[in-house]
Amino acid sequence: MTKKTDKTVTFLILFLNFADIVIVSQYIVMTERYINPHTDFGFKRLFGSEFNKELLISFLNALFRGEQDVKDVTYLNSEQLGDRADARRAIFDVYCENQKGEKFIVEMQNVYQEFFKDRTIYYSTFPIREQAQRGGNWDFHLSSVYTIGLLNFNFAEGLEEAQHWHHEVKLMEVDTKKVFYDKLTYIYVEIPKFDKTEDQLVTMYDKWMFVLKNLSVLMERPAALQERVFTRLFEQAEVSKFNAQDRMLYEDSVNAYRDIINAINTAKKDGYAEGYAKGFAEGFVEGFAEGIKFRKVEIARKMLRRGMAVDEVAEVMDMTIQEIKEMM
């Protein structure tokens, strides 16, 4: 065999291997017909764009089960700055107000964080403070604020015995068990606890929950979802209809989503294992904490190497931005 023939054969082998990779990658993409709403791109495409705001309106009305009649929403700036230059900012997935001026923060949260409840309380302060009017004539009248957490995990803290997946929290007077202040509401929705099948879907809330949990694994539109709003949703969620830029952004978002899930799972598994082993050698409590801290830093560094922003890594790993910068 001549050198030229040898090079040709080598080229053909490489070409066929590349073709196999392309075929496999196309197959993987095509098996996911609809977008994953748990990804940042997927959630904001469906609920965070002016073009698709009828989806958000329908979801909010379903979520409040008749207690709200949202006719229209105006999207607000999702990036909120603190009072000082060095204060921690907040970036909401979706931030909007209805026709009455009531504020809604809607967040998709994929992994549990130690101070997640604190974070939701902190987030709610931004739409409260921005209502303050300059001058001496303001009487402190506030519009309602709703903070909605769509949780892709079971939120055990304080809800261990709760069987339902919808939790509504308001300020309460302890003795009377009555609502003390009804303009500040926190709603936590535990998506994994929703276990209704297609033939059990009755309300619009049931149907939206089914979509949030199962959209990315569906291969066709379920017969139970015949409302016009779902026609819109499935049109916007079909991956094959994305343009090249949107497809690239979606794939990046899926990869980031998987990295975060894998990183958290790895941190839990390896961190606890390392901490446990180190604990026996150097004292259980100190070693356990040190092992967890060591693994946490390693995972954070891995996220940075993958191109994640400093503030995103800090938020996911429950660290300060300064801690992240110090280990770079």
Side-chain angles (χ1 to χ4, degrees):
M1 183 180 291
T2 66
K3 290 184 177 180
K4 182 176 181 181
T5 305
D6 185 57
K7 287 181 179 179
T8 302
V9 172
T10 302
F11 173 79
L12 287 172
I13 291 173
L14 291 172
F15 177 81
L16 290 173
N17 287 339
F18 177 75
D20 287 341
I21 293 171
V22 171
I23 291 171
V24 170
S25 65
Q26 286 179 338
Y27 174 75
I28 291 172
V29 170
M30 288 307 294
T31 57
E32 185 180 286
R33 181 176 181 183
Y34 298 112
I35 203 169
N36 187 341
H38 302 161
T39 63
D40 184 65
F41 178 89
F43 187 76
K44 290 177 180 176
R45 179 182 177 88
L46 296 179
F47 298 108
S49 69
E50 184 74 23
F51 188 65
N52 288 327
K53 72 177 181 179
E54 68 174 287
L55 303 181
L56 178 62
I57 292 171
S58 174
F59 173 71
L60 289 175
N61 284 325
L63 176 79
F64 287 100
R65 297 172 290 187
E67 295 180 6
Q68 275 280 357
D69 182 21
V70 180
K71 300 184 186 302
D72 192 16
V73 294
T74 301
Y75 287 98
L76 305 174
N77 185 8
S78 60
E79 182 174 355
Q80 301 291 307
L81 304 177
D83 294 330
R84 306 184 316 273
D86 61 342
R88 185 161 186 172
R89 63 177 179 168
I91 302 177
F92 309 141
D93 287 340
V94 173
Y95 182 35
C96 65
E97 66 179 9
N98 64 7
Q99 68 278 4
K100 297 185 290 185
E102 297 173 326
K103 316 289 185 179
F104 299 84
I105 298 170
V106 187
E107 287 278 303
M108 173 63 73
Q109 181 73 16
N110 284 303
V111 292
Y112 175 76
Q113 294 178 348
E114 183 180 3
F115 297 107
F116 178 68
K117 283 196 290 190
D118 301 64
R119 175 184 163 189
T120 58
I121 302 300
Y122 175 70
Y123 274 16
S124 69
T125 64
F126 287 91
I128 292 173
R129 286 181 298 169
E130 72 179 15
Q131 295 184 54
Q133 299 175 11
R134 296 184 180 277
N137 296 324
W138 183 47
D139 60 2
F140 290 93
H141 176 267
L142 295 172
S143 297
S144 297
V145 172
Y146 300 90
T147 303
I148 301 163
L150 305 177
L151 315 181
N152 198 22
F153 55 88
N154 290 332
F155 190 28
E157 187 179 355
L159 302 173
E160 293 89 343
E161 299 178 3
Q163 298 300 313
H164 202 51
W165 36 267
H166 177 101
H167 309 282
E168 186 170 324
V169 179
K170 293 180 182 287
L171 292 176
M172 179 192 73
E173 205 286 321
V174 175
D175 288 338
T176 64
K177 302 297 188 293
K178 292 183 178 180
V179 175
F180 171 74
Y181 186 73
D182 64 356
K183 291 184 180 181
L184 184 60
T185 305
Y186 302 90
I187 297 177
Y188 303 102
V189 180
E190 297 176 285
I191 297 174
K193 281 187 179 178
F194 181 82
D195 58 1
K196 290 187 178 183
T197 58
E198 182 185 345
D199 59 343
Q200 295 174 316
L201 305 180
V202 177
T203 67
M204 280 295 287
Y205 196 14
D206 288 343
K207 296 176 181 181
W208 271 111
M209 287 298 299
F210 185 84
V211 166
L212 286 175
K213 185 171 184 178
N214 300 296
L215 182 59
S216 64
V217 298
L218 297 176
M219 291 308 296
E220 59 183 15
R221 177 180 174 179
L225 306 179
Q226 291 305 308
E227 288 80 2
R228 186 184 63 82
V229 69
F230 293 119
T231 300
R232 176 73 173 184
L233 180 137
F234 280 94
E235 287 175 351
Q236 292 299 305
E238 192 157 359
V239 177
S240 64
K241 294 182 179 179
F242 290 1
N243 60 37
Q245 181 180 7
D246 284 349
R247 183 185 289 269
M248 182 179 66
L249 291 172
Y250 176 56
E251 289 176 355
D252 288 345
S253 188
V254 169
N255 289 333
Y257 167 74
R258 290 172 179 165
D259 283 346
I260 290 172
I261 298 299
N262 290 336
I264 296 299
N265 290 338
T266 301
K268 287 180 180 178
K269 181 177 68 176
D270 293 352
Y272 278 101
E274 289 182 24
Y276 186 79
K278 201 173 182 63
F280 275 106
E282 302 178 11
F284 181 77
V285 175
E286 294 83 357
F288 186 83
E290 188 178 335
I292 294 290
K293 182 179 179 181
F294 172 80
R295 188 57 189 170
K296 197 174 183 180
V297 169
E298 290 301 303
I299 295 298
R301 283 176 174 158
K302 182 178 179 182
M303 289 178 173
L304 290 170
R305 287 196 296 270
R306 288 180 178 271
M308 289 184 64
V310 171
D311 57 340
E312 290 178 342
V313 176
E315 186 172 330
V316 170
M317 299 307 297
D318 195 26
M319 301 171 71
T320 66
I321 292 178
Q322 184 60 33
E323 287 175 327
I324 298 296
K325 288 181 176 179
E326 286 176 356
M327 69 183 198
M328 292 175 66

